[in-house]
Amino acid sequence: FPVDRIRNFCIIAHIDHGKSTLADRLLEMTGAIVKTQKNKQVLDKLQVERERGITVKAQTASLIYSHQGQQYLLNLIDTPGHVDFSYEVSRSISACQGVLLIVDANQGIQAQTVANFYLAFEAQLAIIPVINKIDLKNADPERVASQIEKVFDIPCNECIRISAKLGTNVEAVLQAVVDRIPPPVASIDDPFKALVFDSNFDHYRGVVANIAVFGGRVRKGDRIVSAYLGKSYEVNELGILRPDEHPTQKLFAGQVGYMVTGMKDVKEAQIGDTLYLKEQPVETLPGFKPAKAMVFAGMFPTDQSDYPGLRSAIERLTLNDSSVTVQRDSSMALGAGWRLGFLGLLHMEVFNQRLEQEYNASVIVTAPTVPYKAVLSSPRLIKNRRGIQKNMVYIDDKRVMMKYLFPLNEIVVDFYDLLKSLSSGYASFDYENAGYQAADLIKMNILLNGQPVEELITIVHRGRAYSAGKAMCERLQDSIPRQMFEIAVQASIGSKVIARETIKAYRKNVLAKCYGGDITRKMKLLKKQAEGKKKMRLIGNVEVPKDAFINVLKRK
Ligand code: GDP
Ligand code: MG
């Protein structure tokens, strides 16, 4: 494909506005996948994505589209919508010249619509507004088009109105990609130069890098250099993603594809790295700003003998999600482990779930904490959260955009869920870092039968200590099953106990049920109990289920 017949674009939108569904239709219409009733978010490949119905990883697919007698190569990158994954969006944007900005015809512009628009706008990409779900009974595409004009200064008539679900007018989207998005500025005559914009770890082949070729060409067998470490590698395999890997002999300027170089150590694979041919050094590409971790938590193997296994699992997964920061950590109670930084609580939960599902790891996650920085975005809820209003803009007569300064700690855990439920799902939310500010903070301990629980030490605002302590004790009471003895759950500041709940003793014997019953049933029950115990952690003489730690931190 000559460069002028290549288009690189990504689909950006607020969560649930239909990015992955539109991607399915584009894949079907270009023959990349067979059209069946069953194609639902085919680019959401991870188990965690399927279970939660959200995209967490950007995915790439090369499509071949015939338009007015010409064939075009369209490289599509589907991106996540949730605020915690906007880092994936910025990386995808750096490999593209244009975006499809999807807006739900019923919901209109939402917080991540605005945030994602600015990412694309600042990167000077061509922006094609697409109004989706026009099939819905309450769809009001005209109103959404005028919101788009008002907020983004894009004329109403540039909006394409579609139903991704039914396939209505999706052809117009493909045409617009060809007509409105410029081809990449890349010459085949330049020396080879490629940006590593994502990578995965494959158990057999090692690092599989997703690359965007900015100049020249690369062949199988070529010797390439990673600018980051200066090390050279042989190209063992390369190809395009349709969306499954299709090996090819070469990759050319303007193309997006994958490359395997036998790189085995994940530390060598750096997202944002520039690759070039050994004999033709080039100036390196600007790469990416490192992501700013917002939420920190300790991660420890359930069993210390799993430490090496967990270490390699974390290394491999962070390769695929470079926004996670990792530091070694150790705890008296939990042994050797790590302190990981995440972009938000959902990000942390997803990471944890991926470790367990994709790497079979068994981990204990400690209470998330924040590095005390301030943040943005509604009224009673906001007052309770120590928010300060910064500004307010009416998008139209039904929607208002408000900016607030918040302590990060107040919004990181459950603010989003609460905002959604208080506004019956109408409000949406996005945040960015606004720097550190002085605050009156104290350290609060949680005790189980007098034994402090190191992983539940929290920093709280002084005015909040009593309610926070009470809430934590109540949640812990709900999360710890009854045991053979009474358990006192207390919150303290220094030596002063500020809250207490009691877990009554458990009298029933699990085996009582099968008195006189057969032995195999008894064994089964005991085995089940033992398996349950694996997921427990002993604090003093109290058994605490692993997930109690995370349950405790969700304020209700
Ligand atoms: P994403 O989070 O932006 O990737 O959104 P998805 O593609 O996962 O879609 C979110 C939900 O909206 C799914 O239940 C889709 O079936 C639904 N959806 C997507 N497009 C349309 C559409 O055009 N019409 C209707 N009625 N529903 C749609
Ligand atoms: Mg999606």
Side-chain angles (χ1 to χ4, degrees):
F1 280 93
V3 171
D4 65 342
R5 278 195 267 126
I6 297 178
R7 302 289 184 275
N8 297 325
F9 68 105
C10 53
I11 309 186
I12 58 174
H14 190 77
I15 193 159
D16 273 351
H17 282 196
K19 295 177 293 295
S20 301
T21 306
L22 176 61
D24 291 346
R25 295 295 91 73
L26 298 179
L27 291 171
E28 286 170 3
M29 290 170 61
T30 55
I33 55 171
V34 179
K35 191 171 173 175
T36 74
Q37 290 297 313
K38 289 204 204 86
N39 287 331
K40 289 224 167 86
Q41 291 100 3
V42 293
L43 292 181
D44 290 344
K45 295 178 197 161
L46 304 176
Q47 190 182 347
V48 51
E49 297 182 312
R50 298 237 151 239
E51 285 173 11
R52 292 177 183 248
I54 55 166
T55 308
V56 309
K57 270 305 291 177
Q59 293 293 346
T60 309
S62 294
L63 317 173
I64 293 164
Y65 172 57
S66 300
H67 180 53
Q68 295 172 344
Q70 293 273 35
Q71 283 207 325
Y72 290 86
L73 179 66
L74 311 183
N75 296 310
L76 151 72
I77 302 178
D78 182 23
T79 63
H82 192 281
V83 37
D84 283 13
F85 306 104
S86 62
Y87 188 61
E88 289 282 323
V89 181
S90 19
R91 285 206 270 117
S92 309
I93 278 176
S94 67
C96 294
Q97 287 71 48
V99 298
L100 296 176
L101 177 68
I102 316 292
V103 188
D104 180 306
N106 180 7
Q107 291 192 358
I109 291 177
Q110 299 285 318
Q112 275 86 55
T113 318
V114 179
N116 287 329
F117 167 84
Y118 281 108
L119 289 176
F121 184 76
E122 279 158 19
Q124 301 184 319
L125 302 196
I127 297 168
I128 304 176
V130 176
I131 301 175
N132 186 32
K133 309 197 190 183
I134 57 167
D135 61 293
L136 288 176
K137 207 171 80 218
N138 296 321
D140 192 349
E142 294 326 303
R143 169 191 191 92
V144 174
S146 62
Q147 285 182 355
I148 289 172
E149 180 156 334
K150 175 151 188 207
V151 179
F152 304 137
D153 207 17
I154 302 175
C156 287
N157 60 12
E158 286 188 18
C159 296
I160 304 174
R161 294 147 173 83
I162 67 159
S163 164
K165 190 172 175 182
L166 306 179
T168 319
N169 209 26
V170 175
E171 180 73 32
V173 174
L174 282 171
Q175 274 174 37
V177 166
V178 166
D179 296 339
R180 300 195 213 163
I181 297 175
V185 187
S187 167
I188 197 138
D189 304 319
D190 287 345
F192 168 68
K193 183 180 197 169
L195 172 76
V196 177
F197 66 92
D198 202 356
S199 51
N200 280 291
F201 195 87
D202 180 285
H203 291 280
Y204 304 102
R205 298 175 295 169
V207 175
V208 182
N210 285 15
I211 61 168
V213 185
F214 280 62
R217 75 187 87 191
V218 64
R219 289 181 197 85
K220 214 172 139 172
D222 277 348
R223 208 123 192 118
I224 55 140
V225 177
S226 132
Y228 172 66
L229 283 178
K231 278 179 80 166
S232 77
Y233 306 87
E234 184 178 318
V235 179
N236 297 336
E237 186 187 334
L238 45 73
I240 58 173
L241 298 151
R242 316 202 48 201
D244 296 323
E245 292 175 357
H246 274 237
T248 56
Q249 289 301 314
K250 297 174 196 162
L251 278 178
F252 296 96
Q255 286 193 323
V256 172
Y258 72 96
M259 182 186 269
V260 181
T261 60
M263 208 184 256
K264 290 279 182 226
D265 186 350
V266 298
K267 290 190 194 80
E268 298 167 67
Q270 199 66 18
I271 289 176
D273 198 0
T274 306
L275 305 177
Y276 56 87
L277 289 177
K278 190 149 192 243
E279 60 278 15
Q280 284 183 308
V282 298
E283 204 173 302
T284 56
L285 295 158
F288 305 107
K289 262 192 249 157
K292 270 254 166 72
M294 295 278 198
V295 180
F296 292 83
M299 252 188 213
F300 298 87
T302 315
D303 188 324
Q304 274 296 313
S305 66
D306 295 338
Y307 182 87
L310 184 56
R311 180 179 59 205
S312 96
I314 291 175
E315 280 176 357
R316 287 163 187 204
L317 190 50
T318 46
L319 170 68
N320 190 235
D321 183 352
S322 63
S323 56
V324 177
T325 63
V326 184
Q327 262 179 303
R328 293 254 287 284
D329 193 10
S330 69
S331 137
M332 281 207 331
L334 300 173
W338 301 267
R339 185 160 185 76
L340 272 64
F342 303 94
L343 304 178
L345 199 76
L346 177 66
H347 185 212
M348 173 177 125
E349 288 181 4
V350 164
F351 187 88
N352 193 16
Q353 197 174 337
R354 290 186 68 187
L355 267 183
E356 294 188 341
Q357 293 176 339
E358 294 167 36
Y359 294 90
N360 249 325
S362 175
V363 295
I364 297 170
V365 181
T366 69
T369 57
V370 302
Y372 285 93
K373 281 176 183 176
V375 190
L376 315 179
S377 191
S378 212
R380 213 183 64 189
L381 172 64
I382 283 159
K383 262 203 185 141
N384 275 336
R385 300 299 176 110
R386 301 188 276 141
I388 302 162
Q389 185 162 9
K390 286 290 171 193
N391 81 13
M392 189 157 101
V393 177
Y394 283 89
I395 295 180
D396 60 24
D397 56 332
K398 284 196 185 144
R399 244 172 237 292
V400 56
M401 178 158 74
M402 295 185 282
K403 271 194 185 182
Y404 279 85
L405 199 63
F406 274 111
L408 179 59
N409 191 40
E410 297 288 338
I411 58 160
V412 115
V413 176
D414 62 347
F415 183 84
Y416 185 71
D417 296 343
L418 213 57
L419 181 71
K420 278 280 173 210
S421 77
L422 285 177
S423 66
S424 313
Y426 284 106
S428 62
F429 163 72
D430 192 37
Y431 59 82
E432 64 187 38
N433 184 2
Y436 287 95
Q437 276 183 18
D440 186 10
L441 304 169
I442 45 173
K443 182 172 134 185
M444 183 172 75
N445 288 305
I446 300 292
L447 313 169
L448 288 180
N449 279 349
Q451 186 87 14
V453 188
E454 206 182 317
E455 18 317 57
L456 293 181
I457 293 174
T458 36
I459 295 171
V460 290
H461 192 258
R462 190 179 299 276
R464 275 299 183 64
Y466 287 90
S467 59
K470 186 167 188 296
M472 273 179 86
C473 289
E474 285 171 355
R475 297 223 111 202
L476 208 50
Q477 183 191 26
D478 293 342
S479 311
I480 298 177
R482 289 181 174 200
Q483 293 172 30
M484 300 304 273
F485 43 82
E486 188 174 283
I487 304 165
V489 183
Q490 297 167 309
S492 75
I493 292 165
S495 57
K496 189 174 166 215
V497 172
I498 57 165
R500 175 189 168 122
E501 296 293 332
T502 306
I503 302 170
K504 293 229 175 72
Y506 179 69
R507 283 165 213 279
K508 248 193 280 166
N509 177 346
V510 279
L511 293 179
K513 270 193 256 174
C514 27
Y515 248 128
D518 69 286
I519 187 76
T520 51
R521 218 173 123 214
K522 229 179 249 182
M523 294 309 288
K524 256 192 201 154
L525 258 169
L526 285 170
K527 190 159 171 258
K528 220 166 137 193
Q529 225 186 13
E531 270 166 11
K533 280 204 172 122
K534 262 201 223 160
K535 295 194 173 142
M536 300 276 188
R537 208 173 88 52
L538 213 57
I539 290 164
N541 55 351
V542 183
E543 285 174 347
V544 184
K546 258 173 43 174
D547 49 6
F549 298 112
I550 245 185
N551 288 348
V552 167
L553 282 132
K554 286 195 172 170
R555 281 178 300 206
K556 271 275 151 71

